[in-house]
């Protein structure tokens, strides 16, 4: 009942912002008879879902130019589809690593219904989103040296922190997928990604199909370290066959949900 009420409240908030253009946290707490902390979590998740923009003391509707951007919208749908499929593989009480990146962070709002999670991350953005969840997980940070390119912590301290634990799953993105070699990246700092893969029993790569086939110089994770690859359903059959030939479980998530498809 609580989960249903939460979803109804968030739908109502999104509709109110769309109708009026701007709302305040104070007004929402009174309207829904709940705390400011709860409302701020609601607004954070709605912003992540692309339904509004948070502002000091409240939220505003999306500018028309942002809502009408076709390319951004399509990418967002693909990432959300990948995030949904990846989140379905995560169970209550799992111990997981979530790497930095826009695709991996798209999964965070979907974890609110999971219980007893332990999550380690090297990303301040991921950590901030995790703290907004209704069922807030135990949060572990790698620490280390801040890398502005990847906007994440890297280095020996981060690697040592990871090796102090063992994990059920790693959720990690990639700049590209070399169909012969594995995941590739523009960043030369690949050591932490490899340690993440070492300490996790299942390595789940989350990447949009348009990145599969890219040839980028720096090999991050070879195929023999990858268990599952989650992408969208725009991936061609030839690439699907090559990936599955590597012994990797391939999940191609539909970019349009069934409910949307039925309306068309």
């Amino acid at each position: 009942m609580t989960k249903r009420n939460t979803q109804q409240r968030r739908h109502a908030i999104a509709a109110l912002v769309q109708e009026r253009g701007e709302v305040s946290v104070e007004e929402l707490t009174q309207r829904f008879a709940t705390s400011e902390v709860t409302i701020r979590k609601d607004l954070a998740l709605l912003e992540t879902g692309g339904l509004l923009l948070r502002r000091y003391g409240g939220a505003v509707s999306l500018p028309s130019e942002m809502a009408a951007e076709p390319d951004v919208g399509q990418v967002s749908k693909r990432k959300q589809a990948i995030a949904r499929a990846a989140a379905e593989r995560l169970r209550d009480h799992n111990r997981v690593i979530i790497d930095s990146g826009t695709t991996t962070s798209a999964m965070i709002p979907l974890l609110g219904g999971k219980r007893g999670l332990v999550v380690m991350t090297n990303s301040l953005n991921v950590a901030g989103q995790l703290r907004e969840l209704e069922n807030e997980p135990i949060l572990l940070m790698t620490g280390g040296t801040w890398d502005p390119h990847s906007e994440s912590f890297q280095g020996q301290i981060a690697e040592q922190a990871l090796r102090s634990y063992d994990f059920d799953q790693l959720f990690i993105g990639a700049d590209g997928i070399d169909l012969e070699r594995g995941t590739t990246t523009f960043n030369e700092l690949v050591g932490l990604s490899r340690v993440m893969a070492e300490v996790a029993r299942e390595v789940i790569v989350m990447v949009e199909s348009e990145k599969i086939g890219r040839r980028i110089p720096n090999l991050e994770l070879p195929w023999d370290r990858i268990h599952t690859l989650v992408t969208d359903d725009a991936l061609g059959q030839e690439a699907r066959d090559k990936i599955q030939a590597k012994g990797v479980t391939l999940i191609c998530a539909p970019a349009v949900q069934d409910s949307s498809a039925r309306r068309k």
Side-chain angles (χ1 to χ4, degrees):
M1 180 63 70
T2 300
K3 183 176 180 181
R4 185 180 301 118
N5 289 342
T6 298
Q7 293 172 339
Q8 291 173 346
R9 184 181 66 247
R10 289 171 180 167
H11 284 308
I13 291 172
L16 188 63
V17 173
Q18 182 67 27
E19 176 187 345
R20 294 177 42 186
E22 183 175 1
V23 294
S24 69
V25 170
E26 182 180 1
E27 176 189 357
L28 294 174
T29 57
Q30 294 175 359
R31 177 182 285 262
F32 296 102
T34 189
S35 68
E36 287 193 6
V37 172
T38 297
I39 292 297
R40 292 185 192 281
K41 287 184 177 182
D42 291 341
L43 296 179
L45 289 167
L46 290 169
E47 182 180 51
T48 301
L51 298 174
L52 52 76
L53 291 176
R54 283 190 293 173
R55 291 291 183 266
Y56 180 76
V60 298
S61 59
L62 286 171
S64 57
E65 61 270 19
M66 290 181 65
E69 181 65 40
D71 291 336
V72 172
Q74 182 61 31
V75 169
S76 177
K77 288 179 182 178
R78 290 181 179 181
K79 288 187 177 181
Q80 288 176 12
I82 293 166
R84 286 193 299 271
E88 289 175 358
R89 301 188 67 82
L90 200 156
R91 301 290 178 258
D92 289 348
H93 306 291
N94 273 15
R95 298 165 62 91
V96 302
I97 308 167
I98 301 179
D99 191 21
S100 61
T102 56
T103 306
T104 49
S105 65
M107 182 176 66
I108 306 303
L110 305 173
L111 304 184
K114 305 294 183 181
R115 298 185 178 277
L117 295 181
V118 178
V119 182
M120 176 170 271
T121 185
N122 61 333
S123 166
L124 292 177
N125 177 46
V126 169
Q129 289 190 62
L130 287 167
R131 292 190 61 199
E132 301 285 352
L133 293 178
E134 193 159 350
N135 292 325
E136 187 175 334
I138 295 175
L139 175 61
L140 305 173
M141 293 293 298
T142 63
T145 302
W146 181 254
D147 171 40
H149 177 82
S150 62
E151 296 188 344
S152 63
F153 291 104
Q154 303 284 338
Q156 292 185 358
I157 292 176
E159 293 175 13
Q160 290 171 4
L162 282 162
R163 288 194 171 105
S164 299
Y165 302 87
D166 65 283
F167 297 91
D168 298 302
Q169 295 164 309
L170 162 64
F171 295 89
I172 188 170
D175 292 324
I177 299 288
D178 186 315
L179 290 170
E180 298 302 324
R181 299 189 298 159
T183 68
T184 55
T185 179
F186 294 108
N187 196 340
E188 294 183 356
L189 301 175
V190 296
L192 190 66
S193 297
R194 292 173 181 173
V195 173
M196 287 179 174
E198 287 175 13
V199 298
R201 283 184 281 278
E202 182 183 14
V203 175
I204 300 171
V205 175
M206 303 168 60
V207 64
E208 292 169 275
S209 61
E210 63 185 21
K211 294 182 178 180
I212 297 177
R214 280 186 181 178
R215 293 185 176 274
I216 299 173
N218 300 315
L219 176 65
E220 192 166 25
L221 296 178
W223 283 117
D224 62 5
R225 302 311 304 269
I226 300 168
H227 301 91
T228 305
L229 189 145
V230 184
T231 187
D232 57 78
D233 60 356
L235 184 65
Q237 189 60 50
E238 182 179 355
R240 296 187 188 206
D241 293 341
K242 288 184 177 181
I243 291 169
Q244 291 175 319
K246 300 292 185 182
V248 173
T249 298
L250 177 64
I251 299 172
C252 295
V256 178
Q257 297 187 59
D258 291 342
S259 58
S260 298
R262 286 195 297 267
R263 288 195 295 267
K264 289 189 175 182

